[in-house]
Amino acid sequence: MSTLTLSQSKPVDRPKIKEKYDHFIGGKWVAPSSGEYFDNISPIDGKPFAKAARGNKADVDLALDAAHAAFPSWSKTSPAQRSKLLNKVADIIEENLEMLARVETIDNGKALRETRAADLPLVIDHFRYFAGVIRADESSISEHDEHTVSIALHEPLGVVGQIIPWNFPLLMATWKIAPALAAGCCTVVKPAEQTPTSIMVLMELIADVLPPGVLNVVTGFGPEAGKPLASSPRIAKVSFTGETTTGRLIMQYASENLIPVTMELGGKSPNIFMKSVADADDEFFDKAVEGAVMFALNQGEICTCPSRILVHEDIYDVFMEKVIERTKAIKMGHPLAEDTMMGAQASNDQYEKILSYMDIGKQEGAEVLCGGDKASLNSGLETGYYIQPTIFKGNNKMRIFQEEIFGPVVSVTTFKTTEEAIEIANDTMYGLGAGLWSRDAHELYQVPRAIQAGRVWVNCYHNYPAHAPFGGYKKSGFGRENHLMMLDHYRQTKNMLISYDKNKLGFF
Amino acid sequence: MSDNKYVPRVLISDAAKETIDTLKKRFGTDLMFHQSGGCCDGSSPMCFEKGDFKVGASDIWLGSVYGCDFFMNQDQFEYWKHTQLTLDITAGRGSSFSIEIPMGIRFMIRSRLFTTEELENLIPTKTGEEILEENELK
């Protein structure tokens, strides 16, 4: 294939960050007990840009000590005070949005226009949302009879372990950290080894805001730092976003400690385009075309990537012509350049995995409608991990329709009837996201109800407001993130059952 | 074993064999693989010390590759069973608890379709539970 010559705006400057980062434990920077650090590779050019502490069990134990020391006072801190601190965190992030967006782009490889417009603004809003909801949050009370009152009071679970994925390093960390802290828990966070730096740059900014030990971050490799955290008898809960095998392993550890877990394990989300979508060539049709091309957002590295397009056969030609045209117009390039629309895949092994799926897709007879190969970029990006946005046409039994490729790859198939669309949509192990596009008022309600997925976007896709619950059906996991209901994933209920009757029961 | 008359479901590259040798030496135990699905590092094979990952009746044993049992969940197997897998190694930094990760490399799967002839002569699968029972008897 040919090399793409880049004609684009100059990349913005890289912010100055430290050469290496220690763990953040008990409000202090703590060197790894092993003394070892590992290189953090930027997907932009495949080159190291910072070092991260190589954590192990001793470091995790230190972080758990700090969190347990902080919990008695943090759990009793008033909601007003916790809210104030979460708002302060949000304000600091907002003041440093541009710097953090650039670091996030260097760490993960995604385009700057996304970290500026999506990742960081959502992080800020998420902290503010949980700062807000705990001010209005109430426990419940019921009078069972004139002498008996039941109080159901929320109490934080304690010290929790949170394992963060690499696709939205700061936002996914925030999805876990904000509700845990709002609920009164203390946390030990283990970022993904592909993206251990941006969260440490954030910790530098907010190090003095929270009391020491409330929020601790230990970097390192899964088997060395993640496992001792997830299997520790000193955590009250573990929250994990990732894949199914590690999810099962974490549940195995949790079963040994009898603690609750929440799991977000990905999906193979169907994006359904009903016949009425093409009733007019108007703004809505244009929006639906964009909705189909959303598979390329974040280079496809989103658990809810709309990686299966199901389109009514009568509108296939007119609709897909536009989708292919729009996909071909995606401008790839240096992730730090302001006009780049799609950046680099997060790591070399992801890059190789995506290419292996393109291979099996072609072997299975899927037709390549556009893309279908790596993108060889020049101008210093030759060693980065770039892949062309790709559309395959095939059938739902093919492996490219069934497995989460986690890259800018979408597989399209057609349906004849609504029933068939629903059947194809649900023919998957997963049930995290889905999209339904229609102008028909009945379909807009009935089809989403029939889809077995925790989030169905209706006439939109990839919006992630803090105020809407997010999570999976089937093998996509359980528990939810976002929304005030998340508080209850970090709390337990203290029931006080009170008698105001002075008289004995009369049994004894 | 009379497995030679069957077509294997999982093959292995020389690079992956070397990695298994290194890991076996380092951990001093036999190893096992469980094929993951789902997001992030999903769709990648995970390597553990043998027995560290609890398999059961819902797991399918695809065979033994270079002395390591290779499993996949039943649901996922239904969508994978027409393809032959090759366990390979690539440079990279996966997350997950797979034990090769600190080495800066990652196990990965390459796939090809079985031919019609091969499909009729594949190595019979067993469940994880059956494998555990066999291991107890040994």
Side-chain angles (χ1 to χ4, degrees), chain A residues 38-41 54 163 165-167 192-194 221-224 226-227 230 241-246 248-250 252-253 256 264-267 302-303 347-350 352-353 356-357 359-360 363-364 396-399 402-406 427-430 475, chain B residues 26-27 34-44 46 48-49 51-56 58-59 72-85 90-114:
Chain A
F38 64 95
D39 283 335
N40 185 6
I41 310 287
R54 182 171 173 175
I163 298 181
W166 45 261
N167 57 343
E193 38 273 66
Q194 294 96 326
F221 300 123
E224 296 176 351
K227 182 178 172 180
T241 298
E243 31 62 47
T244 56
T245 297
T246 307
R248 276 178 59 176
L249 197 53
I250 288 173
Q252 183 185 309
Y253 301 144
E256 289 163 20
E264 202 273 79
L265 305 176
I302 311 184
C303 303
S347 63
N348 182 59
D349 51 311
Q350 283 299 315
E352 290 290 335
K353 185 175 83 179
S356 80
Y357 273 104
D359 178 42
I360 189 69
Q363 285 187 51
E364 285 194 277
N396 199 56
K397 295 296 177 193
M398 292 175 170
R399 280 184 47 191
Q402 291 296 337
E403 290 159 38
E404 190 158 359
I405 299 172
F406 228 57
D427 179 12
T428 167
M429 288 163 59
Y430 303 104
K475 293 265 159 72
Chain B
R26 180 172 304 170
F27 287 88
H34 192 275
Q35 174 65 41
S36 188
C39 81
C40 305
D41 298 80
S43 314
S44 295
M46 304 295 176
F48 304 115
E49 293 177 62
D52 263 15
F53 182 90
K54 307 280 188 255
V55 292
S58 69
D59 292 298
M72 185 185 300
N73 193 255
Q74 166 80 52
D75 292 8
Q76 198 169 337
F77 179 68
E78 286 304 312
Y79 295 111
W80 286 56
K81 60 187 178 189
H82 60 293
T83 54
Q84 186 175 49
L85 313 180
T90 181
R93 175 147 298 145
S95 51
S96 88
F97 293 179
S98 197
I99 60 175
E100 82 284 9
I101 284 172
M103 296 165 69
I105 52 175
R106 190 74 187 84
F107 284 109
M108 68 171 291
I109 288 292
R110 300 188 192 279
S111 312
R112 76 167 183 95
L113 297 186
F114 285 121

Side-chain angles (χ1 to χ4, degrees), chain A residues 365-387:
Chain A
E367 185 188 347
V368 178
L369 301 183
C370 67
D373 208 341
K374 59 192 173 190
S376 302
L377 306 185
N378 61 13
S379 312
L381 306 180
E382 294 83 352
T383 47
Y385 315 130
Y386 299 88
I387 290 186

Side-chain angles (χ1 to χ4, degrees), chain A residues 15 31 107 141 156 164 178 232-233 314 319 321 338 376 426-427 443 451 456 478:
Chain A
D107 206 351
I141 184 166
I164 315 297
S232 171
D314 289 356
F319 183 69
E321 185 194 338
E338 292 178 318
S376 302
N426 288 335
D427 179 12
E443 286 172 355
I451 296 172
V456 184
F478 41 82

Side-chain angles (χ1 to χ4, degrees), chain A residues 167-168 175 264 266-270 294-295 300-307 404 406 431-435 455 457 461-464 470-471, chain B residues 39:
Chain A
N167 57 343
F168 292 83
W175 277 20
E264 202 273 79
K268 191 70 189 177
S269 303
M294 278 291 182
F295 78 87
E301 293 169 344
I302 311 184
C303 303
T304 43
C305 172
S307 51
E404 190 158 359
F406 228 57
L432 189 60
R455 159 73 58 84
W457 280 280
Y461 209 98
H462 270 338
N463 318 35
Y464 297 92
F470 176 87
Chain B
C39 81

Side-chain angles (χ1 to χ4, degrees), chain A residues 226-507:
Chain A
K227 182 178 172 180
L229 176 61
S231 57
S232 171
R234 297 170 70 204
I235 54 171
K237 182 225 169 80
V238 58
S239 170
F240 173 68
T241 298
E243 31 62 47
T244 56
T245 297
T246 307
R248 276 178 59 176
L249 197 53
I250 288 173
M251 287 184 72
Q252 183 185 309
Y253 301 144
S255 78
E256 289 163 20
N257 293 319
L258 280 176
I259 57 167
V261 293
T262 45
M263 293 274 152
E264 202 273 79
L265 305 176
K268 191 70 189 177
S269 303
N271 205 6
I272 306 173
F273 297 87
M274 305 302 282
K275 193 175 169 184
S276 63
V277 165
D279 280 355
D281 186 7
D282 57 0
E283 299 95 324
F284 178 70
F285 183 74
D286 188 48
K287 184 186 181 190
V289 170
E290 183 191 49
V293 184
M294 278 291 182
F295 78 87
L297 193 79
N298 208 50
Q299 301 84 235
E301 293 169 344
I302 311 184
C303 303
T304 43
C305 172
S307 51
R308 293 186 293 151
I309 294 176
L310 317 184
V311 57
H312 193 282
E313 62 176 8
D314 289 356
I315 66 166
Y316 176 86
D317 288 339
V318 62
F319 183 69
M320 287 309 296
E321 185 194 338
K322 291 284 182 195
V323 171
I324 292 165
E325 184 185 307
R326 196 79 56 90
T327 302
K328 284 180 174 168
I330 292 173
K331 188 177 172 90
M332 298 192 68
H334 198 298
L336 282 171
E338 292 178 318
D339 56 351
T340 290
M341 294 165 69
M342 204 182 91
Q345 308 305 138
S347 63
N348 182 59
D349 51 311
Q350 283 299 315
Y351 173 78
E352 290 290 335
K353 185 175 83 179
I354 296 162
L355 293 177
S356 80
Y357 273 104
M358 291 194 177
D359 178 42
I360 189 69
K362 289 169 191 169
Q363 285 187 51
E364 285 194 277
E367 185 188 347
V368 178
L369 301 183
C370 67
D373 208 341
K374 59 192 173 190
S376 302
L377 306 185
N378 61 13
S379 312
L381 306 180
E382 294 83 352
T383 47
Y385 315 130
Y386 299 88
I387 290 186
Q388 297 175 20
T390 296
I391 306 178
F392 279 112
K393 187 183 183 197
N395 71 68
N396 199 56
K397 295 296 177 193
M398 292 175 170
R399 280 184 47 191
I400 52 169
F401 278 82
Q402 291 296 337
E403 290 159 38
E404 190 158 359
I405 299 172
F406 228 57
V409 182
V410 68
S411 304
V412 57
T413 192
T414 58
F415 62 87
K416 291 184 175 64
T417 62
T418 305
E419 291 71 28
E420 192 191 2
I422 292 166
E423 188 193 325
I424 297 171
N426 288 335
D427 179 12
T428 167
M429 288 163 59
Y430 303 104
L432 189 60
L436 185 272
W437 299 79
S438 174
R439 299 175 197 257
D440 181 309
H442 301 89
E443 286 172 355
L444 287 175
Y445 187 76
Q446 287 158 357
V447 177
R449 288 297 308 273
I451 296 172
Q452 294 152 6
R455 159 73 58 84
V456 184
W457 280 280
V458 181
N459 288 342
C460 60
Y461 209 98
H462 270 338
N463 318 35
Y464 297 92
H467 203 158
F470 176 87
Y473 283 19
K474 294 156 76 178
K475 293 265 159 72
S476 291
F478 41 82
R480 291 293 177 268
E481 296 196 294
N482 297 325
H483 196 267
L484 67 89
M485 69 170 67
M486 260 323 277
L487 292 172
D488 286 337
H489 285 294
Y490 289 104
R491 301 193 296 207
Q492 50 200 339
T493 301
K494 168 66 54 67
N495 177 238
M496 281 185 272
L497 193 56
I498 308 164
S499 171
Y500 291 103
D501 191 345
K502 285 184 175 173
N503 298 312
K504 64 182 177 187
L505 288 173
F507 274 126

Side-chain angles (χ1 to χ4, degrees), chain A residues 216-228:
Chain A
N216 308 276
V217 185
V218 175
T219 53
F221 300 123
E224 296 176 351
K227 182 178 172 180

